[in-house]
Amino acid sequence: MVEQRDSNVETTITDPAGEDYGKVKGRTQREIIWRRFKRHKLAMIGGLILVLLYVAALATPWIAPYGYAEPDFASINQGPSLKHPMGTDEIGRDELTRVIYGGRVSLLLGLGVGVLSTIIGTAIGIFSGFYGKFVDTTAMGFTDFMLTLPFLPILLVMGSIYNFTAVTITFALVLLLWMTIARLVRGQVLSLRNQEYVLAAKAVGVSDLKIMLRHILPNVVGVMVVQATLVTAEAILIESALSFLGLGIQPPTPSWGNLLEDARTTMTTQWWLTWFPGMMIVITVLCVNFLGDGLRDALDPKAVE
Amino acid sequence: MLAYIVRKVLFSIVVLFVASAVIFVLVSLSGDPLAELRTNPNVQQADIERLTAQYGLDQPLPVQYVIWLGDLLHGDLGTSFKQYASVNSIIAPRIIPTFLLVGSALAVTAILAIPFGVYSAIKKYTLADNVGTFLSFLGFSMPIFWLGLLLQLVLGIYLAAWAGTRIFFVSGMTAVGDTGPIDLLQHLALPVTALAVIEVATLSRFQRSAMLDVMSSDYLRTARAKGLSQWTVYLKHALRNAMIPSVTLLALKVGLIFNGAVITESVFAWPGLGFLLVDSLNKGDYNVARGILIISAALIVVFNLVADLAYSLVDPRVSYD
């Protein structure tokens, strides 16, 4: 966030009639953003649920009630019960355990793709917008080119050639999802680079890299954060679709997508195998999107208090 | 203006050429298409040599690309690795089903999303608008394949069991023997719903914010000030400008929806290009996959170009430099 040096200074406010309102304390930028964010109830709830989900994803081996590949032939195809809250599958594996392990893959992959594509997209966007001319034409030409590639079919082909793991799928998604961020950041930088404070920094001889990091980057944080949530949501959806089509994460490693692929054949009889993993995807992506919406409102400098 | 069009068209052509090279190389990474035959003891060495020459696999990769590109420019996508048929003849029957599915989904999307968006902009922050906002968030947080599964389960299977007769079909495009229009609609309904729900969710939000932008402009205040009715102001004055961005978005999305249809087609076993792609990847028929990929890329490039040009024709504020 932009540092605001004077905002904590206490000011005595006096209105024209001479009445004394006493001491008024200024708010820091951080307080203003947090206040705006708190007002977005759905974003608060979404953020909270996501924190819980990520804690579960990191602590999976300790909180999962069973092993993810642990068959129990005494209890196959059971509906939800106290012993198995999300039921069991055709070889008696506990569905809750498999959903938790599957969530681990989806959640960490989503976060990884979100962070990495934001870093790459922002770097390309800032360089392109800051240097302009030839750099800009080349970088944006490349970005536009990447945007026109049919990314879903390409991912399917990659998946069929390489047999994706959680790590390789993350990199494949980053490769195909950084472009929107680059375009948006570049748009912002085009107007930022001619601001007086940037020109002043240039005039006193601050290096280009330092200007980009100290004066430009803090001003594009808003776009970056909001886009990061959008990319995270998209990555989770695409990974689940790839795994569902059998071209993403391969069994026995569970992922929400391949759990649903397994559930397909028994959809009419074992409804729980179709409903629970799908609901987890929707809840997660919905929370990410609400969080992004709240952050968009909170980080918008034009928003009225 | 003319210079702008020429530049856009030239850029698109360059993009297509580069994309074709990327696609060619990517698919070539799948390895030797004849590997299976080489390990088969019943296949003669001479036959393998003949096939290698026939597919041009004895040439270095750049030469293979140039030959493939030359054929492509003559409208020939090559020969399948797994079937005794040309890629053209395998792909051709799949084109109309995909266009039918995507076209219907787009039509439904436009018909629903634009009125929804306008209505929630006019009724901003009312209960109806808030419910709409929540539903559209739900819509674009929904994995399309899961939505498809739920539609199959609820509207396909449960509804059929309840009504005692099939109302919507959960897979395929036509029933065997019966190819009437009613039958087609019964097959089309669920996949179109799955695609449209997700697209309506996005487009109606977009239409809402475009409408809100226009509603705060000066010329609308003038229209109101001269005593026009609220609805005349909204529908005659505001909507015209507020529709430009969403129609453009829709055109831009055509290409992407074609690609998104891959998943929907697979869920509903819809006999289109997307289903064929997944099918040929599972079979290892990479020449067919290559053909579908290049068609997908061409569709995106063409619709991007159309959207660009349409936008510059409709909106006089766009500059052409």
Side-chain angles (χ1 to χ4, degrees):
Chain A
M1 291 321 102
V2 187
E3 222 176 301
Q4 299 261 314
R5 285 196 183 74
D6 313 335
S7 50
N8 265 324
V9 174
E10 293 196 352
T11 328
T12 309
I13 300 223
T14 332
D15 76 355
E19 214 165 315
D20 189 9
Y21 285 100
K23 304 278 188 206
V24 177
K25 197 170 173 290
R27 290 200 189 98
T28 61
Q29 186 79 5
R30 214 164 287 182
E31 283 165 353
I32 295 173
I33 290 171
W34 177 237
R35 269 171 62 90
R36 286 206 214 113
F37 183 73
K38 270 197 299 192
R39 225 177 293 156
H40 199 304
K41 290 285 174 287
L42 286 171
M44 286 290 284
I45 298 170
L48 201 71
I49 296 176
L50 280 177
V51 169
L52 292 177
L53 286 172
Y54 273 97
V55 168
L58 292 173
T60 305
W62 297 282
I63 59 163
Y66 302 87
Y68 69 82
E70 188 182 287
D72 176 4
F73 295 105
S75 53
I76 58 167
N77 292 333
Q78 284 184 353
S81 64
L82 281 179
K83 204 167 156 238
H84 299 287
M86 292 188 183
T88 60
D89 66 5
E90 73 282 354
I91 55 169
R93 290 176 296 193
D94 178 52
E95 185 70 2
L96 175 65
T97 305
R98 293 177 61 73
V99 165
I100 295 175
Y101 271 98
R104 182 180 214 191
V105 173
S106 299
L107 287 162
L108 296 180
L109 172 144
L111 190 68
V113 175
V115 169
L116 288 177
S117 10
T118 307
I119 293 174
I120 294 174
T122 307
I124 292 179
I126 289 183
F127 269 98
S128 180
F130 186 79
Y131 286 111
K133 300 196 184 86
F134 178 69
V135 177
D136 189 38
T137 321
T138 319
M140 285 303 116
F142 179 60
T143 308
D144 283 346
F145 166 71
M146 290 298 288
L147 274 170
T148 53
L149 286 182
F151 74 91
L152 197 60
I154 285 186
L155 277 171
L156 293 176
V157 172
M158 284 165 122
S160 122
I161 298 175
Y162 291 117
N163 284 333
F164 279 136
T165 62
V167 176
T168 49
I169 210 172
T170 304
F171 286 111
L173 285 171
V174 170
L175 198 66
L176 297 168
L177 291 177
W178 57 269
M179 291 86 75
T180 328
I181 302 172
R183 279 227 141 258
L184 290 171
V185 167
R186 175 221 175 227
Q188 297 244 302
V189 175
L190 281 186
S191 65
L192 286 170
R193 68 167 180 187
N194 292 324
Q195 297 280 319
E196 282 83 355
Y197 61 85
V198 175
L199 297 177
K202 256 188 205 164
V204 296
V206 180
S207 75
D208 285 354
L209 194 65
K210 207 162 183 185
I211 294 180
M212 286 189 253
L213 288 176
R214 287 293 294 272
H215 301 284
I216 299 212
L217 186 64
N219 286 296
V220 295
V221 164
V223 181
M224 284 167 63
V225 170
V226 174
Q227 285 302 312
T229 61
L230 289 179
V231 169
T232 303
E234 204 174 351
I236 294 176
L237 288 178
I238 297 174
E239 179 274 319
S240 65
L242 284 179
S243 302
F244 174 75
L245 294 175
L247 295 165
I249 309 275
Q250 300 297 326
T253 308
S255 88
W256 289 336
N258 69 32
L259 288 180
L260 284 165
E261 187 202 8
D262 289 346
R264 223 176 148 183
T265 44
T266 53
M267 197 166 70
T268 43
T269 45
Q270 278 100 54
W271 58 268
W272 53 92
L273 298 179
T274 305
W275 284 90
F276 291 120
M279 269 159 58
M280 288 311 294
I281 303 177
V282 175
I283 291 171
T284 308
V285 177
L286 195 60
C287 288
V288 174
N289 280 330
F290 279 138
L291 181 70
D293 198 47
L295 287 170
R296 186 203 316 268
D297 288 356
L299 295 169
D300 182 3
K302 280 177 284 182
V304 258
E305 264 290 287
Chain B
M1 181 69 194
L2 190 68
Y4 174 80
I5 295 177
V6 170
R7 203 156 31 114
K8 282 280 169 194
V9 172
L10 284 179
F11 181 73
S12 302
I13 293 173
V14 172
V15 162
L16 263 182
F17 271 107
V18 181
S20 74
V22 170
I23 288 168
F24 187 86
V25 172
L26 177 75
V27 176
S28 301
L29 296 175
S30 60
D32 180 8
L34 302 179
E36 222 174 284
L37 297 180
R38 281 185 220 283
T39 54
N40 186 338
N42 297 326
V43 179
Q44 303 276 315
Q45 186 60 33
D47 286 333
I48 289 178
E49 271 160 24
R50 186 177 51 79
L51 282 170
T52 309
Q54 192 187 320
Y55 286 116
L57 296 168
D58 48 351
Q59 307 285 340
L61 200 61
V63 177
Q64 285 186 38
Y65 170 66
V66 172
I67 295 171
W68 176 76
L69 188 66
D71 288 346
L72 179 68
L73 292 175
H74 290 96
D76 177 9
L77 291 167
T79 315
S80 159
F81 286 143
K82 301 282 159 172
Q83 299 176 46
Y84 188 69
S86 71
V87 175
N88 285 20
S89 69
I90 296 173
I91 286 181
R94 304 301 191 111
I95 292 175
I96 287 174
T98 291
F99 271 80
L100 185 66
L101 178 65
V102 172
S104 320
L106 277 172
V108 173
T109 304
I111 291 168
L112 293 179
I114 292 174
F116 281 178
V118 170
Y119 184 78
S120 44
I122 295 173
K123 301 280 175 193
K124 190 181 162 192
Y125 300 141
T126 60
L127 181 67
D129 178 36
N130 288 337
V131 170
T133 305
F134 186 82
L135 286 181
S136 58
F137 266 92
L138 194 63
F140 55 72
S141 302
M142 188 82 86
I144 192 163
F145 64 90
W146 190 60
L147 181 63
L149 292 182
L150 293 191
L151 288 170
Q152 289 181 325
L153 200 57
V154 177
L155 291 180
I157 295 161
Y158 293 163
L159 186 68
W162 178 77
T165 165
R166 281 235 177 266
I167 297 171
F168 300 117
F169 287 91
V170 297
S171 70
M173 190 169 88
T174 48
V176 182
D178 184 0
T179 48
I182 305 278
D183 173 69
L184 184 62
L185 281 178
Q186 283 179 310
H187 282 88
L188 199 56
L190 296 186
V192 166
T193 310
L195 275 173
V197 163
I198 284 158
E199 295 308 325
V200 168
T202 332
L203 191 68
S204 66
R205 286 288 87 189
F206 197 75
Q207 179 64 57
R208 176 180 179 271
S209 61
M211 187 73 181
L212 284 176
D213 273 354
V214 173
M215 271 161 62
S216 59
S217 58
D218 289 338
Y219 82 96
L220 275 206
R221 199 183 331 136
T222 312
R224 251 184 238 125
K226 71 180 187 185
L228 295 179
S229 80
Q230 233 14 315
W231 285 102
T232 319
V233 173
Y234 288 141
L235 297 183
K236 280 191 116 170
H237 293 241
L239 188 58
R240 274 198 192 184
N241 278 328
M243 267 176 60
I244 298 176
S246 38
V247 170
T248 315
L249 183 74
L250 207 59
L252 272 175
K253 286 195 111 184
V254 177
L256 291 173
I257 295 174
F258 268 105
N259 290 301
V262 173
I263 302 169
T264 318
E265 286 183 3
S266 303
V267 173
F268 290 96
W270 187 263
L273 289 171
F275 187 43
L276 179 65
L277 175 66
V278 176
D279 198 37
S280 18
L281 288 178
N282 287 335
K283 282 187 194 145
D285 200 345
Y286 287 99
N287 243 355
V288 175
R290 194 179 269 158
I292 297 173
L293 242 58
I294 194 75
I295 292 177
S296 306
L299 282 170
I300 296 183
V301 171
V302 167
F303 281 103
N304 280 0
L305 187 64
V306 169
D308 262 356
L309 298 183
Y311 191 70
S312 59
L313 284 175
V314 177
D315 194 335
R317 288 166 300 186
V318 178
S319 64
Y320 308 116
D321 42 66

